[in-house]
Amino acid sequence: MEHGLIVPPVFSPIPPAIHPRHEAINERTTAWANAFAIGSPQLREKLVAHDIGTFAARVLPEGREEVVSILADFIIWLFGVDDGLCEEGELGKDPSELVGELSRMLRIAQNPDVPMLSRNPLAAGLRDLRRRVSRYATPGQEARWVDALREYFLSVVWEASHRSHETVPDLNDYTLMRLYDGATSVVLPLLEMGHGYELHPNERDSTAVRAAAEMAYFIITWDNDLFSYHKESRADQYYLNVLRVLEHEQQLTPAQALSLAVAQRDRVMCLFLRVRDELATTGSPQLRQYLENLGTFIRGAQDWGISSHRYTTPEDPADLPSTFRDTPTDDSHEALDIPAVAWWWDVLPERETFQPSPGEFRTSATV
């Protein structure tokens, strides 16, 4: 296994931004994680050092502070599930038991008053999150948040299956499931809540808008795989990273897999910019705000990913970039050869005369 891989600066045309109250948000998230005993004491000590409140503050730099705090607490809770319950726990290699535990968690998300898992800290944290979400969400947003949590839980069970069998998935399956196991779709209802609007279903559920959201998931999770490679490749259970998948399926070296993964995420980023700009020309103010926050989600994950102790691992320093590049390594308009997502390239009109703008769409909605 090659461990000296240097991740190059990635293409990031979206400008950085952060909520002015990010320090207070981060402090509150630390207090919340301690109050609900999220994860083991050892895991919690690591999680609260990862500046997760700052990550949430980058995702919603102009959002309502209360919702940004919910997002920050939710992200640290998700890491409690992903790291504590799955990757570091016995359930992470036992899909049959894990599905039962996650189904009970899902029931609590549906109705926090059900008398289940009464002594489980993660369940207590989820109850608190669900009640706080209810203060700022419409019934439709609550339902979509729970549905997205179901998608995430399903993908976590899929991960556990590969760990239990010690298998590496193929690229198509990995791409499909990575859209969900990165816990990206669960954030989207909070993007709306953060600005106090509800996107009309005719816009949100249109093929092009769904594709734009999935492109954001792809970019965020591919970037996460690049930034977490150093940490993950040293673990015993190293099966679920795009570099590992590309090495295994296409018989590539880690360096070759890195170059290919960067090219894939760059091509999707270029498509995201084109689709975003096209949708913004005809969309409602709410849709423009939503598209803008898909962009801040992408950039926020990048800024956090190259700076957080979660991936820089000070005790075993990773070779992560400290800057970003202005041009893509691959700006082809051809679809990626991945059937699960190749349809994204069909959502634009045949004409391709417009070019992506160099900066982020900055018009905020009046809602």
Side-chain angles (χ1 to χ4, degrees):
M1 180 64 65
E2 178 181 330
H3 291 311
L5 206 59
I6 299 175
V7 178
V10 297
F11 172 49
S12 184
I14 300 166
I18 192 167
H19 197 284
R21 294 275 295 163
H22 63 91
E23 291 180 352
I25 292 164
N26 198 55
E27 289 174 2
R28 283 200 301 271
T29 292
T30 296
W32 185 86
N34 286 322
F36 283 92
I38 301 300
S40 68
Q42 295 82 3
L43 175 59
R44 189 160 63 253
E45 183 180 3
K46 292 179 182 179
L47 291 178
V48 299
H50 291 166
D51 294 327
I52 290 170
T54 301
F55 178 22
R58 293 184 185 280
V59 174
L60 280 170
E62 298 175 358
R64 292 189 287 190
E65 185 176 343
E66 299 88 347
V67 177
V68 182
S69 276
I70 294 171
L71 176 58
D73 296 349
F74 183 39
I75 292 171
I76 209 166
W77 182 88
L78 287 164
F79 280 131
V81 172
D82 196 51
D83 292 1
L85 192 64
C86 299
E87 290 187 13
E88 298 177 9
E90 288 302 313
L91 291 181
K93 294 180 285 187
D94 190 343
S96 62
E97 289 296 321
L98 182 61
V99 72
E101 186 75 354
L102 294 177
S103 295
R104 290 184 282 274
M105 289 280 189
L106 188 65
R107 193 58 174 169
I108 289 168
Q110 292 169 328
N111 182 351
D113 295 325
V114 296
M116 299 170 66
L117 301 177
S118 59
R119 298 182 181 180
N120 184 311
L122 284 172
L126 183 57
R127 281 191 170 89
D128 178 73
L129 288 165
R130 173 64 169 77
R131 288 170 177 142
R132 290 160 64 200
V133 163
S134 296
R135 295 177 202 158
Y136 298 96
T138 66
Q141 288 167 338
E142 283 183 6
R144 286 191 291 109
W145 182 69
V146 172
D147 285 345
L149 201 57
R150 182 184 292 108
E151 291 177 338
Y152 167 66
F153 285 167
L154 182 65
S155 67
V156 165
V157 173
W158 172 83
E159 286 186 327
S161 177
H162 278 286
R163 288 194 195 96
S164 68
H165 292 102
E166 299 184 349
T167 52
V168 178
D170 65 41
L171 178 61
N172 192 54
D173 276 357
Y174 182 77
T175 303
L176 175 62
M177 299 308 289
R178 196 71 176 101
L179 297 178
Y180 306 113
D181 71 15
T184 42
S185 62
V186 290
V187 171
L188 296 200
L190 290 152
L191 300 185
E192 298 177 31
M193 291 159 52
H195 287 271
Y197 69 90
E198 184 170 24
L199 195 58
H200 195 286
N202 286 350
E203 287 192 309
R204 185 185 59 248
D205 297 335
S206 70
T207 301
V209 174
R210 285 192 298 108
E214 289 192 0
M215 291 173 215
Y217 307 163
F218 181 98
I219 297 163
I220 290 165
T221 54
W222 250 233
D223 285 347
N224 180 263
D225 281 5
L226 300 179
F227 301 151
S228 66
Y229 166 82
H230 179 86
K231 169 177 169 284
E232 291 182 3
S233 64
R234 283 152 166 72
D236 294 334
Q237 300 276 318
Y238 177 53
Y239 309 111
L240 299 164
N241 182 295
V242 66
L243 301 191
R244 182 73 180 92
V245 169
L246 291 172
E247 290 171 38
H248 183 263
E249 181 168 293
Q250 302 187 25
Q251 302 301 303
L252 303 178
T253 66
Q256 291 170 330
L258 173 65
S259 295
L260 179 52
V262 169
Q264 290 170 335
R265 58 85 62 202
D266 283 3
R267 196 185 299 188
V268 175
M269 176 70 91
C270 291
L271 179 64
F272 172 79
L273 296 172
R274 296 196 301 272
V275 171
R276 177 202 65 182
D277 289 355
E278 181 78 355
L279 289 168
T281 61
T282 57
S284 67
Q286 290 83 3
L287 179 58
R288 292 198 297 273
Q289 180 67 67
Y290 183 76
L291 293 167
E292 178 176 337
N293 284 133
L294 288 178
T296 57
F297 190 9
I298 292 170
R299 180 57 195 253
Q302 292 167 339
D303 284 319
W304 179 72
I306 66 169
S307 61
S308 172
H309 285 178
R310 181 172 181 84
Y311 304 117
T312 58
T313 53
E315 69 282 357
D316 177 21
D319 289 312
L320 295 183
S322 58
T323 59
F324 299 96
R325 57 180 289 158
D326 297 325
T327 56
T329 64
D330 184 342
D331 60 359
S332 170
H333 288 197
E334 293 296 318
L336 290 178
D337 186 20
I338 305 175
V341 299
W343 63 273
W344 292 343
W345 278 261
D346 297 331
V347 303
L348 280 172
E350 286 298 318
R351 57 185 175 82
E352 283 285 7
T353 57
F354 62 93
Q355 296 294 321
S357 61
E360 170 69 335
F361 183 84
R362 297 301 299 165
T363 303
S364 292
T366 302
V367 295

